[in-house]
Amino acid sequence: QDIILEHSRQRTGEHLVEVPAGHASADNHQYNPTCGDEINLRLVLSDEQKNGEKVVESVSWEGDGCSISMAAASVLSEMAPGMTVGELQNHVDAFREMLRSRGQITLDEEEYGDMAAFSGVSKFMARVKCAMLSWVAVEEAAREASTK
């Protein structure tokens, strides 16, 4: 809970960054009509590759919503840079599985860092969409940017 509150106050990645010339990128907008949370997310890929895969340079965003959705975007922006697109998708999948588990699955803090703090959110189904908003946006943006 402290990690979520800290990320909602001290937000990493807030404010969309400019895309460096020649870098693949994609923007994605997600909106949760249930609670009004909204996010515009920008994924920028590096011109480098790791193991033959494109690498995330940055994830930035603008949004308005509850502390859970804003903290989830902050955590995502902090952890994604340096990952390959495949590694990022694996983290999205793990985050989604944990959130859908209704408290049955917790993430290992050593492997997943601040993502693990959202394990408690999975017990509150009304909050799962809030936590997933930016993660769905980055998943869509990565799919689009990877084809550029």
Side-chain angles (χ1 to χ4, degrees):
Q1 192 175 21
D2 290 339
I3 291 171
I4 292 172
L5 291 174
E6 183 64 26
H7 271 283
S8 73
R9 286 191 293 263
Q10 304 267 329
R11 300 173 181 177
T12 301
E14 191 174 28
H15 307 295
L16 297 175
V17 299
E18 292 295 319
V19 179
H23 289 238
S25 69
D27 291 359
N28 190 270
H29 174 261
Q30 293 292 319
Y31 174 69
N32 182 352
T34 306
C35 63
D37 290 353
E38 190 167 11
I39 192 156
N40 291 309
L41 181 137
R42 176 170 293 152
L43 172 81
V44 178
L45 297 178
S46 171
D47 56 0
E48 299 175 23
Q49 289 199 357
K50 185 166 63 171
N51 301 325
E53 277 194 89
K54 294 182 180 183
V55 175
V56 175
E57 182 170 302
S58 68
V59 173
S60 59
W61 56 277
E62 298 174 330
D64 187 35
C66 68
S67 61
I68 292 172
S69 66
M70 299 296 98
S74 176
V75 168
L76 174 60
S77 294
E78 189 173 274
M79 48 125 320
M83 287 186 173
T84 65
V85 171
E87 291 167 338
L88 177 60
Q89 184 61 54
N90 289 341
H91 276 66
V92 171
D93 292 343
F95 196 67
R96 180 179 283 121
E97 182 181 13
M98 177 268 299
L99 284 172
R100 290 181 175 168
S101 76
R102 296 182 183 238
Q104 300 302 307
I105 297 172
T106 57
L107 296 177
D108 177 48
E109 193 173 331
E110 288 211 17
E111 183 176 355
Y112 293 102
D114 287 352
M115 284 173 57
F118 290 85
S119 296
V121 172
S122 70
K123 296 175 187 173
F124 306 98
M125 292 312 291
R127 304 314 246 155
V128 167
K129 283 187 179 180
C130 301
M132 276 303 299
L133 199 64
S134 58
W135 293 74
V136 169
V138 83
E139 183 176 45
E140 294 295 321
R143 198 171 291 132
E144 183 182 335
S146 292
T147 64
K148 294 181 177 178

